[in-house]
Amino acid sequence: MTVRQLSLEELVDACAESGVRGVGLWREPVRAHGVRATANLVRDAGLTVTTLCRGGFFTAIDPDARARALDDNRRAVDEAAMLGTDTLVLVSGGLPAGSRDLRGARERIADALGELGPYAAGRGVRLALEPLHPMYASDRCVVSTLAQALDLAERFPAEQVGVAVDTYHVWWDDTAPAQIARAGAGGRIHTFQLADWTTPLPEGVLTGRGQIGDGAIDIREWQGYVAAAGYTGPIEVELFNEGLWARDGREVLAETVRRFVEHAA
Amino acid sequence: MTVRQLSLEELVDACAESGVRGVGLWREPVRAHGVRATANLVRDAGLTVTTLCRGGFFTAIDPDARARALDDNRRAVDEAAMLGTDTLVLVSGGLPAGSRDLRGARERIADALGELGPYAAGRGVRLALEPLHPMYASDRCVVSTLAQALDLAERFPAEQVGVAVDTYHVWWDDTAPAQIARAGAGGRIHTFQLADWTTPLPEGVLTGRGQIGDGAIDIREWQGYVAAAGYTGPIEVELFNEGLWARDGREVLAETVRRFVEHAA
């Protein structure tokens, strides 16, 4: 998504040029290109798919909507398996229209994880529940902190459900370092993602994720927390940013690699 | 601020019309009208000033800037005392330009509270440290949760420093009800403010506070928490909302009273 202006073919070439060996993919471009064709394209280029983004949206109350969501998530698991990644990132979903019941919505996520976890584990895929910044609590993700995500994940085996740690979502939270340690001790850090925090936030607050080094987050500090918690997996840079999307994608990828080296590696 | 389109004279009349007996004031219009003149205007109308907003912005590193901030806060205390309110609301301040050190910034707030608290208490004014929603952590307020605010406040006597509980800032936080109980047990709920959470958030995320009943927050639930914690003080409705500001202020005030009765009282 950081360079969504690139086609998958262009992305694969640009990764090779920039020395990037792993890539997190999103479902929409993968499905547009064909899941199997994408798997072949990426494999032939020697690239690893780090994660598939994203499943989730488990908070509907209506039984039909819940069944459809679970169906879609099983498809996402199948796609992840086909792409050869062991991790499906989940965005839990917001409050259903008219609802003010955060607790109930969080409980419905647990119900969905209970159904999806064994299905995923049977296909070699782990679910990574991603707490999103509290500014998304009503319309996108009622799971706002690592503590909440772990409270949900720990109801299930770690090989079924863990968490995604994303600097953009947790950087403000002084309890997050302890929660990262908790997640690491349980083998539940299923991916680690980077974005910087820049202001002013744009309308709708979806496309304001800042380039590494441009914002308020001490990236290396957070990298230190996940490393101390035993995480040795890939580090993903995930930027949704209209300014970056408007530029040449290869240039943005190269810049991102430079920023990663400067601020994280 | 909910009806900032009204002059102070108009506000006082509109409050009388709507049966509103207390009003939270902001420093800028008060200073423009004159502090003593405002005090007289409000007193003559039989209105109580519930709080003065706002002091704070304690996070500068530069010693001169810190001294200026403290001077300004002592003036704010004096203004509060002159207006006859016992509560000055504090917005702590964001990260200084170029800084990524949230912990350091939070510590500088403690330093300032240590200087300002006795000054305020000597004038019958309590400081209400307001945690702001984590989306303001970098540019406005590094104190993002009630737990953080109480960790700071509890270093000082409750008659010097407490907290402001604002539904807009805490509604997403599943640990906030326990923190409200903690604040109440310590006599540290110095004001309780209402706004609803509506999306999409506007650019800059400052003027998106929703009218009571329009959003995702179960206002009565939060009112229950502060009541159970022993809070019996005024309840303020604080909306920053371009849509409301563009309308007739008296009509907005009357609507706000109706919404308050429907969703809170």
Side-chain angles (χ1 to χ4, degrees), chain A residues 146-147 150 165 170-185 189 221-222 224-229, chain B residues 102-103 106 148:
Chain A
L146 272 172
L150 285 165
V165 177
V170 307
W171 78 280
W172 57 271
D173 180 1
D174 60 348
T175 72
Q179 296 299 321
I180 288 173
R182 170 186 169 192
I189 304 179
E221 180 185 341
W222 290 96
Y225 295 136
V226 299
Chain B
L102 284 173
R103 262 186 301 273
R106 288 170 185 150
Q148 291 172 350

Side-chain angles (χ1 to χ4, degrees), chain A residues 100 148 172 174 201 204 213 215 221, chain B residues 100 103 148 174 201 204 213 215:
Chain A
R100 296 183 173 115
Q148 291 172 349
W172 57 271
D174 60 348
L201 295 166
E221 180 185 341
Chain B
R100 297 183 172 114
R103 262 186 301 273
Q148 291 172 350
D174 59 347
L201 295 166

Side-chain angles (χ1 to χ4, degrees), chain A residues 95 100 102-103 106 133-135 138-139 148 171-172 174 197 199 201 203-205 213 215-217 221 225, chain B residues 95 100 102-103 106 133-135 138-139 148 171-172 174 197 199 201 203-205 213 215-218 221 225:
Chain A
L95 289 171
R100 296 183 173 115
L102 284 173
R103 262 187 302 273
R106 288 171 185 148
H133 192 285
M135 69 188 176
S138 72
D139 58 0
Q148 291 172 349
W171 78 280
W172 57 271
D174 60 348
W197 181 267
T199 57
L201 295 166
E203 185 184 357
V205 300
I217 304 179
E221 180 185 341
Y225 295 136
Chain B
L95 289 171
R100 297 183 172 114
L102 284 173
R103 262 186 301 273
R106 288 170 185 150
H133 191 285
M135 68 188 177
S138 72
D139 58 359
Q148 291 172 350
W171 77 281
W172 57 272
D174 59 347
W197 182 268
T199 57
L201 295 166
E203 186 184 357
V205 301
I217 304 178
D218 187 332
E221 180 184 340
Y225 295 136

Side-chain angles (χ1 to χ4, degrees), chain A residues 197-228:
Chain A
W197 181 267
T198 52
T199 57
L201 295 166
E203 185 184 357
V205 300
L206 272 178
T207 55
R209 293 170 66 98
Q211 176 61 279
I212 306 305
D214 280 353
I217 304 179
D218 187 331
I219 298 288
R220 212 179 297 278
E221 180 185 341
W222 290 96
Q223 200 184 354
Y225 295 136
V226 299

Side-chain angles (χ1 to χ4, degrees), chain A residues 100, chain B residues 196-198 210-216 241 244 255 259 263:
Chain A
R100 296 183 173 115
Chain B
D196 213 335
W197 182 268
T198 53
Q211 177 61 279
I212 305 305
D214 280 352
N241 186 305
L244 296 179
E255 174 187 281
R259 294 299 187 92
H263 294 276

